[in-house]
Amino acid sequence: MSTVSSDKPAPTPQTITGRRWLFPSAVLHDLDPDATAAGRRPRRTARDWVVDFSAFLLAALIGIAGAQSVADDPNLSPGLVVVDQLFGALACAAVWGRRRWPVGFAVAMIPVGLLSNSAGGAAMVALFTVAVHRPFRYVAWIGGISLVLIPFFFWLRPDPDLPYAGIVAFTTLFTVTVIGWGMFVRSKRQLMLSLRDRAQRAETEARLRAEQAQRLAREAIAREMHDVLAHRLTLLSVHAGALEFRPDAPREEIARAAGVIRESAHEALQDLREIIGVLRAGENEESGRPQPTLAAISALVAESCEAGMKVVLDNRVGDPSAVPASVGRTAYRIAQEGLTNARKHAPGTEVTVCVTGAPGEGLTVTVHNPAPEGDVPAVPGSGQGLIGLTERATLAGGRLEHETGADGGFRVRAWLPWG
């Protein structure tokens, strides 16, 4: 039916797909963003034509019955009978315009209903239309006036076959039933619009949650790329620099440096390929080859020593395999980033990596290096890795601290929960 008005803001428009002809035009109009923006009136659907024809037919049948009772009333003159039937015919014809002017049609039917007994059916259709298309305040005023005028109408035009109290009670009950039916139809339509609006909001929220999860996953992958590739690329930088500044080095050293460069490049590409694969496939980051654990710190230190660093490992954890995988992986990344920072900012110094802890006490990882000899050029992006490590430790339920000592050395200390 016509536009379903509401005291609340209209729901977010949605387009109904499927058998549109089964829906009222008012519902389609409220859910059609193009129609709402353009200010077009609702176009009748096939269902609307059936309902309009049924309403006209009902008004006409009641009007015919009323016109017959008026014609048989001996107290009315032939002129009044003709006027009554003429108003009834015009009221039935006006039923076709009820969608466009529901309030005006209902208001006009109040005086017409007082003058014409044949317009009773059209008056009921008008009340039903207002109850469906307009808020309750319109129904209360128009319906209340109609109910108040019912006793007055039958006092002016008593029914020759029924008692006054009986006909007044029956007409009042019938009018209240019509108004209640219209309000029920309106509430069903508003409920449907509300449910569709709620469904759209739920879809939007789900899409936003998915986008947020995707963004968080990408940030995690970016941190992983930084932690993994920074270590590999610093190895490449150290050995490439050695080859550049010592072209007269022995063949054995050149071959060893080239082997480290080749191996580091291969490992970096493999790590990058796996991380990009996780980004594309949306799989868990633990898919692919096994992720590093606490036991892999020894291999990490050995790799750094082969690259020319001076690293001392003090691992006081008796059984590294007993450490939870997530905690061990976080500890490995912290040690890896600490060695990478020491290689970039304090080259040539001896780095100490200390790992202590036990179940119930937590796991502590400390990476310390003394002050470098001489000036070291600034490295772009300094501090980003420590920010990522702090966030990684916080997400794991621990904490991370870093500070520069009085002697110019730098210390990174992290504590991770080990239940």
Side-chain angles (χ1 to χ4, degrees), residues 147-225:
L147 290 174
V148 169
L149 293 178
I150 288 176
F152 180 69
F153 173 81
F154 286 104
W155 179 71
L156 291 177
R157 307 276 297 274
D159 191 286
D161 301 325
L162 296 175
Y164 175 78
I167 191 62
V168 169
F170 173 78
T171 307
T172 301
L173 179 62
F174 185 72
T175 303
V176 171
T177 303
V178 170
I179 295 175
W181 182 24
M183 295 178 63
F184 173 73
V185 173
R186 174 181 171 80
S187 65
K188 283 184 60 178
R189 294 185 180 182
Q190 289 183 324
L191 177 62
M192 186 182 72
L193 294 175
S194 175
L195 291 177
R196 288 187 64 86
D197 179 54
R198 187 177 301 176
Q200 185 189 29
R201 292 178 186 272
E203 292 174 1
T204 303
E205 292 175 0
R207 185 173 65 254
L208 292 177
R209 286 195 298 268
E211 292 175 356
Q212 183 181 14
Q214 225 174 24
R215 185 175 64 255
L216 294 177
R218 282 179 167 83
E219 291 175 356
I221 291 172
R223 289 193 298 268
E224 194 76 11
M225 289 178 67

Side-chain angles (χ1 to χ4, degrees), residues 82-100:
V82 172
V83 171
D84 187 293
Q85 295 175 349
L86 179 61
F87 274 110
L90 293 176
C92 292
V95 168
W96 289 100
R98 67 189 182 92
R99 293 181 181 274
R100 189 169 182 179

Side-chain angles (χ1 to χ4, degrees), residues 269-292:
L269 288 175
Q270 188 170 357
D271 291 335
L272 181 61
R273 187 179 300 112
E274 291 181 359
I275 294 173
I276 296 300
V278 172
L279 181 62
R280 289 177 176 173
E283 299 175 355
N284 190 283
E285 66 174 359
E286 297 187 6
S287 60
R289 68 177 181 174
Q291 294 292 309

